[in-house]
Amino acid sequence: MVHWLFMTRITQSWLIAVVSISTTALFAADPPQQPASVATVAAQIRPSLVTIRAVGRDNDERSIGTGFVIDSAGLIATNFHVIGDGRSFTVQLADDRRLNVVAVEASERTADLAVIRVDVAGEELPSLRLAESPIAQGDAVIAMGNPLGLERSVVQGIVSAIRDVEGREMIQLAMPIEPGNSGGPLVDMRGHVHGIINMKSAIDDNLAFAIPVAALRTLVADPNPIAMERWVQLASVDRELWLPLFGANWKQRGGQISVDGTGVGFGGRSLCLRKDAAVDVPFELAVSVKLDDESGAAGLVFHSDGGDRHYGFYPSGGKLRLSRFDGPSVYSWNVLAEVSSNHYLPGQWNELKVSVTKDRLKCYVNGQQVIESDDQKLRSGAVGLANFRATEAEFRRFRIGNESELKLSAESLSWLDEVREQHRVPDFDSAKLEELARDGDEVASELIRQANQLEIQAKQMRTLAADVRVAEVAQRLHDLMHTDPPPPDQLLRATLEIAALDDPDLDVQYYLRKVTSMADEVRKQLQQDDAPESTDAVARREVLDRYLFQQSGFHGSRDEYYHRANSHMNRVIDDREGLPITLTVLYMELARQLNLDVRGIGLPGHFIAQHVVSQNQAYWIDVFEDAVELSDTDITRMVLMGSGRQRTDADTEPQSNLQILTRVLNNLIGAAQRTGDVESLVRYTEALVALEPSSGQYRMMRVIIRHQTSRDNLALDDLQWLLDHQPVGIDMEEVQRMKEFLDSEK
């Protein structure tokens, strides 16, 4: 049964108060424990490591370093220089999750130590134990970190000495350390932290230093917490004008504001409210915004109470949305309207504007009204900007009042109309360019909008062209499989048609002739060997085996087993390399043309051939292994290895052409899923339905793929077919709900 899931991802983060830490639980005495291997210690400490990436002055990655969890409630230790003085930085766990940084809990520039507090969203992080007993010269130690960006690497060494370095006690190490190890833990063979990796010697690559853990104890015992919005000084927003709320990193250069990181509000929400703007209804609010990723969301907020209550107008997932937020959770989030508009320019600057009157909210994008609402639940409050999830966005030209109107001269409007009507740029000279330049951004934005629209139309046409070709191949495949009687070379033809799904220019007839030519070459060898076709069938098969695998070089693909070409019969013939099933199909067709009875056997996890000589005599052939003969014991072992169960009679039943072709398509579907190639999934599900038009399961697969690729009209056709034919095993109530949903989206 196929289930249709419409899910809203709910993410609730809570701002953790900046508090002092009880050192009792954090620094408990070390219990006695036997030393472990390096691999064991590495596995023990790896989940507690974090990768820290700091942002530089040009908003690029300035450095990558290491940190480690010292308290499950969200404290992470590292070097001060790793996070940077007043820099924005990110914290990433070993499982690649990013955590929102709430504050720099404690920091000491001179000691080069910092403790970060992150929002753990109610979870507990695996923390490392700080050693109680001192480490001694000659002790074995391990360091883990991100040297040269190679994340979570491990290195072993020994303590050379405890010595004074520029007035500070340091642990001298005999081990290779590189940039990126900084901030990582130095642990003993029990996994207890004795120091924080600090620097590499400029004299010897195998000489390094670590800060003793005692310095970290002192820092944690006397925190000097700074909230993250206060910590980030590099290009931070003007605090006289703006008030950032709920985390994320708000920065400003000149009149342009940017934001990155995840807020701690519902849905990763973060706000940046204007402090000097006293707005009274009616008013207009506008800003130009550009998103780094159209799946994100960022835009305007108004009527904000400085907390969780406000309106928002913003692009989200390529659409424009007006929402009302009544509280901190999903249950208080109300989407008042969500629309698509060809006036919105994906990946470009877009002007968002909200017009607020006593009874209406009107929302515009690039001068065109897209939403109108009479919602009046929130009546007053602050205005500003909003960011959701982990979106990176830029804002410019934030303004309140009527100056947000896009105003074009009559000459520019006339010229743009000509562009729109002719779908081309008319000839222009220097005078026309100067004239258009007077309207600057407005003309450029309109030209980009029209170009985007043409690109969308071109993409739609290319998609339709591809669908037409796939439909043509699918029709040929359907006709081939439903012809009575079937052609003798049906299986080979069908596998070539499946390959044509990915290569519309494939010449099926050429490869049919090629295989016939190969069979003719085997016949010539039979004649040369004085072994006419009436001779022993096993001897004739052995000539085929020698020709195919020894003389022609056909072989099983091992180095690139999952390469899609191994499932394309034309590539198998050209490259002489393939999967067990495609090699067996070729083997079966050559055997057929040589009057040998060879059948396909689909064992669990492997495909072999069966050469039937008589009612009481047959041979198992592993074509993938150069046609080696298999014993009954071999078959039993293969079934056990492929399925974890004992062999049954059904395992060695010959498969029909339909079963073989379905298996070939399933291999291609697996290859497409591994690479996230949804357009290929469209083609392969079309072929599955062509093979078995009455299969409800394949129809449902095609519905889902068609919907995922915005082919909703085609998906509706399949849903209607399911409702009309009521196939067994399909939840018709679910089908009806899906159809109603897609109908409502039209």
Side-chain angles (χ1 to χ4, degrees):
M1 183 178 295
V2 180
H3 299 279
W4 183 262
L5 300 176
F6 298 101
M7 300 182 65
T8 300
R9 182 179 178 88
I10 303 174
T11 306
Q12 286 186 317
S13 300
W14 300 96
L15 182 63
I16 300 177
V18 179
V19 295
S20 298
I21 312 157
S22 170
T23 60
T24 304
L26 195 59
F27 303 131
D30 301 335
Q33 186 175 345
Q34 294 300 315
S37 68
V38 174
T40 301
V41 176
Q44 173 186 337
I45 66 178
R46 186 177 292 111
S48 301
L49 292 185
V50 302
T51 302
I52 300 174
R53 291 180 170 86
V55 174
R57 298 190 66 175
D58 295 324
N59 209 33
D60 55 349
E61 186 176 288
R62 178 183 66 89
S63 64
I64 180 172
T66 308
F68 56 97
V69 180
I70 59 173
D71 185 87
S72 60
L75 287 185
I76 294 169
T78 188
N79 288 145
F80 185 93
H81 78 263
V82 167
I83 64 174
D85 195 352
R87 266 32 177 191
S88 172
F89 58 89
T90 62
V91 172
Q92 184 175 337
L93 295 177
D95 61 7
D96 293 332
R97 286 184 297 152
R98 284 194 176 188
L99 296 180
N100 185 63
V101 181
V102 177
V104 175
E105 180 78 2
S107 62
E108 174 55 59
R109 182 185 289 102
T110 303
D112 197 19
L113 285 175
V115 177
I116 306 163
R117 179 178 290 280
V118 296
D119 179 9
V120 297
E123 299 181 23
E124 288 191 353
L125 301 180
S127 60
L128 297 184
R129 177 180 291 275
L130 304 186
E132 183 71 22
S133 56
I135 200 163
Q137 186 178 40
D139 283 352
V141 286
I142 294 172
M144 285 193 76
N146 306 299
L148 303 175
L150 302 175
E151 296 186 17
R152 293 175 287 280
S153 299
V154 62
V155 62
Q156 185 181 21
I158 63 171
V159 174
S160 297
I162 308 296
R163 65 175 71 251
D164 184 275
V165 178
E166 296 181 355
R168 286 190 296 153
E169 183 180 277
M170 300 288 282
I171 304 172
Q172 181 180 319
L173 306 169
M175 63 167 58
I177 292 296
E178 297 291 346
N181 277 116
S182 293
L186 178 73
V187 303
D188 60 23
M189 299 307 293
R190 295 178 298 173
H192 299 166
V193 180
H194 286 269
I196 301 89
I197 300 299
N198 182 241
M199 69 176 107
K200 169 185 176 179
S201 169
I203 301 172
D204 189 333
D205 286 342
N206 292 314
L207 184 61
F209 294 90
I211 303 167
V213 73
L216 179 61
R217 294 173 182 278
T218 301
L219 184 65
V220 173
D222 186 21
N224 52 339
I226 302 175
M228 199 59 193
E229 56 263 27
R230 292 289 181 183
W231 172 265
V232 179
Q233 298 298 320
L234 185 66
S236 61
V237 293
D238 185 346
R239 295 302 179 117
E240 297 297 320
L241 297 177
W242 295 97
L243 175 63
L245 298 171
F246 308 141
N249 303 313
W250 293 89
K251 299 181 284 291
Q252 184 175 11
R253 283 190 173 89
Q256 188 166 306
I257 292 175
S258 62
V259 61
D260 60 69
T262 305
V264 297
F266 162 70
R269 176 176 38 165
S270 174
L271 304 181
C272 191
L273 300 181
R274 187 76 173 204
K275 296 170 69 173
D276 66 338
V279 292
D280 297 315
V281 177
F283 67 88
E284 288 186 345
L285 177 70
V287 75
S288 291
V289 62
K290 182 167 68 173
L291 309 184
D292 74 316
D293 183 347
E294 291 302 324
S295 64
L300 291 167
V301 294
F302 56 101
H303 287 348
S304 170
D305 67 350
D308 294 308
R309 291 166 58 86
H310 58 83
Y311 288 105
F313 174 52
Y314 47 91
S316 176
K319 296 184 178 182
L320 294 156
R321 180 181 290 181
L322 175 65
S323 300
R324 190 186 72 239
F325 297 84
D326 294 327
S329 73
V330 65
Y331 307 108
S332 54
W333 175 33
N334 301 277
V335 178
L336 303 177
E338 184 176 69
V339 300
S340 298
S341 173
N342 60 14
H343 292 282
Y344 179 75
L345 310 176
Q348 305 294 328
W349 285 103
N350 290 273
E351 184 190 65
L352 306 179
K353 186 182 75 171
V354 175
S355 174
V356 180
T357 63
K358 65 179 182 179
D359 58 357
R360 284 286 184 273
L361 305 176
K362 294 182 180 180
C363 302
Y364 301 78
V365 63
N366 296 323
Q368 301 295 319
Q369 182 177 322
V370 291
I371 294 174
E372 182 171 355
S373 173
D374 61 0
D375 190 273
Q376 293 290 304
K377 187 168 183 180
L378 305 180
R379 305 302 297 271
S380 64
V383 299
L385 309 172
N387 186 57
F388 300 86
R389 304 189 284 278
T391 305
E392 294 183 16
E394 297 175 88
F395 304 87
R396 69 182 185 186
R397 296 173 61 188
F398 177 86
R399 49 210 180 276
I400 303 168
N402 295 325
E403 60 185 286
S404 62
E405 294 286 355
L406 291 174
K407 298 177 181 179
L408 290 169
S409 66
E411 292 81 3
S412 293
L413 284 171
S414 175
W415 188 82
L416 289 169
D417 286 341
E418 187 177 352
V419 173
R420 188 181 303 108
E421 292 168 3
Q422 297 182 6
H423 296 300
R424 70 176 186 85
V425 177
D427 293 337
F428 62 92
D429 54 20
S430 298
K432 173 57 71 176
L433 183 59
E434 291 178 6
E435 179 183 285
L436 295 173
R438 297 189 189 102
D439 289 322
D441 280 352
E442 288 77 10
V443 170
S445 295
E446 177 59 19
L447 286 171
I448 292 171
R449 189 193 70 78
Q450 291 190 36
N452 285 353
Q453 191 63 30
L454 291 173
E455 288 168 0
I456 291 171
Q457 293 173 3
K459 182 179 179 181
Q460 291 172 341
M461 290 179 183
R462 291 189 183 95
T463 299
L464 179 57
D467 286 352
V468 168
R469 285 181 166 179
V470 170
E472 180 185 14
V473 175
Q475 186 62 54
R476 291 202 303 265
L477 195 57
H478 174 273
D479 295 344
L480 179 62
M481 296 304 296
H482 296 85
T483 298
D484 192 19
D489 60 353
Q490 182 191 61
L491 183 59
L492 178 64
R493 285 179 177 270
T495 53
L496 286 167
E497 292 292 0
I498 287 174
L501 293 167
D502 291 330
D503 182 5
D505 296 325
L506 189 151
D507 186 343
V508 172
Q509 292 302 319
Y510 167 82
Y511 288 98
L512 293 175
R513 292 192 298 270
K514 176 70 174 175
V515 173
T516 299
S517 175
M518 293 167 66
D520 289 341
E521 291 184 42
V522 179
R523 288 193 190 93
K524 290 178 182 178
Q525 293 194 20
L526 287 168
Q527 293 170 358
Q528 292 169 359
D529 294 347
D530 196 23
E533 294 189 8
S534 59
T535 59
D536 178 71
V538 174
R540 284 186 284 124
R541 173 172 57 79
E542 289 174 348
V543 175
L544 170 61
D545 293 346
R546 185 172 63 249
Y547 165 79
L548 201 59
F549 301 107
Q550 295 178 23
Q551 298 171 358
S552 300
F554 280 84
H555 61 280
S557 180
R558 291 171 177 80
D559 293 338
E560 297 181 280
Y561 187 88
Y562 293 105
H563 197 292
R564 207 174 303 194
N566 288 324
S567 294
H568 292 158
M569 183 55 71
N570 62 314
R571 291 291 302 275
V572 172
I573 294 171
D574 288 339
D575 303 341
R576 307 188 181 197
E577 180 176 328
L579 293 177
I581 190 169
T582 46
L583 287 171
T584 301
V585 168
L586 176 61
Y587 190 76
M588 291 167 63
E589 176 58 24
L590 288 168
R592 183 192 68 78
Q593 295 194 32
L594 296 170
N595 296 322
L596 297 171
D597 184 2
V598 175
R599 306 168 186 180
I601 308 296
L603 299 179
H606 198 58
F607 203 91
I608 64 172
Q610 182 189 42
H611 178 204
V612 179
V613 177
S614 66
Q615 186 174 358
N616 299 316
Q617 185 181 12
Y619 297 87
W620 309 109
I621 309 296
D622 191 344
V623 182
F624 190 75
E625 298 291 347
D626 299 344
V628 65
E629 290 187 10
L630 302 171
S631 65
D632 271 358
T633 302
D634 293 330
I635 300 297
T636 301
R637 176 180 53 80
M638 286 181 168
V639 171
L640 183 62
M641 291 180 62
S643 65
R645 58 170 174 78
Q646 294 301 313
R647 171 182 167 185
T648 67
D649 291 342
D651 291 321
T652 52
E653 285 291 322
Q655 292 206 319
S656 67
N657 286 353
L658 179 61
Q659 289 173 313
I660 293 173
L661 294 170
T662 300
R663 191 159 174 163
V664 170
L665 281 167
N666 282 333
N667 286 337
L668 285 167
I669 287 172
Q673 288 175 331
R674 280 189 290 273
T675 59
D677 186 352
V678 292
E679 285 299 318
S680 289
L681 292 176
V682 171
R683 297 193 291 273
Y684 305 147
T685 52
E686 291 289 339
L688 284 174
V689 175
L691 291 176
E692 290 193 77
S694 61
S695 169
Q697 178 188 2
Y698 294 156
R699 293 270 180 174
M700 281 297 296
M701 285 177 61
R702 191 165 72 171
V703 166
I704 294 171
I705 296 299
R706 283 176 163 179
H707 173 60
Q708 287 178 343
T709 56
S710 301
R711 293 171 169 89
D712 286 349
N713 285 336
L714 296 177
L716 282 166
D717 291 340
D718 276 334
L719 290 170
Q720 189 60 56
W721 185 95
L722 291 166
L723 292 171
D724 292 342
H725 291 81
Q726 303 277 314
V728 176
I730 301 298
D731 186 342
M732 287 300 119
E733 291 184 1
E734 198 76 10
V735 170
Q736 184 61 47
R737 285 194 293 269
M738 292 163 63
K739 186 175 184 301
E740 291 172 357
F741 171 78
L742 292 185
D743 279 330
S744 69
E745 291 286 292
K746 293 178 66 175

